[in-house]
Amino acid sequence: PDVLAWGGKYYLYYQCFSEIPGLQGDRAAATVAESDTPTGPWRPFGKVVIDFGAEGEWDSNAIHDPYPLVYRGKIHVFYKGSPGKGGRDGTLVRAQGVAIADHPLGPFTKSPLNPVLNSGHETCLWPWKTGIAAIVSLDGPEKNTIQYAPDGVNFQMMSILQVPPVAPGPFVPDAFANNGNGRGFTWGLCHINPDGGGSTNYSILTRFDCDLSLDVDRPFFKNNNLRFDERTYFQERVKLPGYLLNQITRERAKVDRNTSSPTKSQHHP
C-alpha cells in the first residue's frame, strides 16, 4: 500500500483480495481509502479503482503494489500485474503498468502502452528531472536495473544494480510536488529475510541508503564489479541442492565432452 496527499486529504491505495490469498493464487485488484490525516482513521471507498485486465491480458489476474505519484497534473498509480500463468504449460509474467486519473477516486484509465515496464517484482518510482525513474528488481528480463522515462511512460534502462533492495519503499519528498523538477531520493525502507527465505518466511524491515538524488554526491554507491565471499554463494537458498546435483551428475555423461582429442569431424583424410 501507499499514500497520496491531494487536496488537503490523504488517499491510501492498496490491493484488495476477492478470495483468501494462497488458496488458488494471488488474485487481487486495487482499491483506496480516504482520511483527513496521514495516520487515519481511514474510510474505505468500497469499490475497485484499478481492475483486472481482460482474460489473457498481462494484468488479468493480479493488480498489486499500487504506487501513486503526481505527474503533469494528474494522478499516476503504477502497479504490478500478472496474468497468473505458470508451471510447465505457461510462463509467469510480472510487469508494471500505470493507470491515470484527475481525481484520487478515479475514474482511472490504464495507459495504452501498458505494461510500461516489462519486469520488476515491486513498484518503486520517483520524479526525476522532467520524467519518472524506477528501480526494477527481482523478476523479468530487465530485472535489477534503474530505468527512466522522460515522459513518464516510455522507460529505458539507464543503469544496473548488483544488490537492489527487496520491496523498496523510497522516501521521496517531492512525490506529489508536480513541478517538473524531480530531485530523486537518498534513502528508503525494504525487506530482509534473515534466513534467506522467500515471501512466506520471517522478514524484518530495514533502512537502505543510496545516491539516486541530484542533491548529493556519494561516489561509494557508484562502485560496480562487487565481489562477495563464500558465505554469499553457499548460503542455503543459493547453494546447489542435492536433487539438482544428482541430475547434473546423470547429465554429464551426455553433455560433457573430451576436448583434449579431436572429434570425428576434425579428422582429415
Side-chain angles (χ1 to χ4, degrees):
D2 220 303
V3 175
L4 165 72
W6 178 277
K9 294 184 181 295
Y10 300 87
Y11 298 86
L12 173 67
Y13 295 89
Y14 57 100
Q15 58 199 52
C16 52
F17 289 90
S18 55
E19 59 189 33
I20 298 176
L23 291 183
Q24 297 182 346
D26 210 11
R27 185 171 174 80
T31 187
V32 65
E34 182 185 64
S35 175
D36 297 319
T37 74
T39 57
W42 297 95
R43 300 179 293 273
F45 183 47
K47 297 179 182 179
V48 169
V49 292
I50 304 176
D51 209 347
F52 306 112
E55 183 176 355
E57 292 186 349
W58 73 279
D59 59 353
S60 60
N61 192 68
I63 306 290
H64 290 179
D65 304 343
Y67 185 95
L69 292 174
V70 179
Y71 180 66
R72 294 184 176 178
K74 294 182 180 292
I75 299 161
H76 288 57
V77 176
F78 291 85
Y79 64 93
K80 179 182 72 178
S82 171
K85 296 187 293 181
R88 183 180 300 273
D89 299 319
T91 300
L92 181 62
V93 176
R94 290 190 177 101
Q96 299 182 40
V98 63
I100 303 169
D102 294 312
H103 188 275
L105 301 182
F108 282 88
T109 301
K110 295 179 181 179
S111 170
L113 297 179
N114 280 352
V116 294
L117 289 162
N118 69 3
S119 304
H121 193 84
E122 299 101 4
T123 50
C124 178
L125 302 101
W126 63 97
W128 179 259
K129 299 182 179 180
T130 60
I132 293 176
I135 289 179
V136 180
S137 60
L138 292 182
D139 283 319
E142 296 178 3
K143 65 183 179 183
N144 299 349
T145 61
I146 294 177
Q147 303 205 17
Y148 175 63
D151 60 357
V153 289
N154 284 284
F155 285 87
Q156 292 184 322
M157 288 188 291
M158 307 302 292
S159 174
I160 63 168
L161 291 171
Q162 283 193 269
V163 189
V166 176
F171 173 68
V172 184
D174 59 359
F176 316 128
N178 188 38
N179 60 14
N181 184 30
R183 307 304 297 174
F185 72 101
T186 60
W187 69 277
L189 299 178
C190 66
H191 292 175
I192 290 180
N193 298 114
D195 60 356
S199 59
T200 59
N201 295 73
Y202 173 68
S203 182
I204 62 175
L205 194 64
T206 188
R207 171 179 170 141
F208 69 92
D209 289 272
C210 60
D211 180 4
L212 292 170
S213 170
L214 293 172
D215 299 321
V216 302
D217 182 22
R218 300 170 177 174
F220 174 82
F221 289 107
K222 299 178 177 67
N223 292 335
N224 59 10
N225 196 16
L226 301 179
R227 304 300 177 97
F228 306 101
D229 61 27
E230 64 180 355
R231 291 174 298 177
T232 299
Y233 295 102
F234 292 105
Q235 62 174 292
E236 190 63 32
R237 298 286 295 184
V238 177
K239 70 179 182 181
L240 197 64
Y243 81 91
L244 187 54
L245 179 60
N246 293 334
Q247 176 183 336
I248 290 172
T249 301
R250 294 192 304 269
E251 293 172 344
R252 285 181 61 186
K254 188 184 305 182
V255 300
D256 286 359
R257 295 289 184 268
N258 183 356
T259 60
S260 62
S261 58
T263 63
K264 290 182 179 180
S265 63
Q266 292 174 317
H267 284 287
H268 297 284

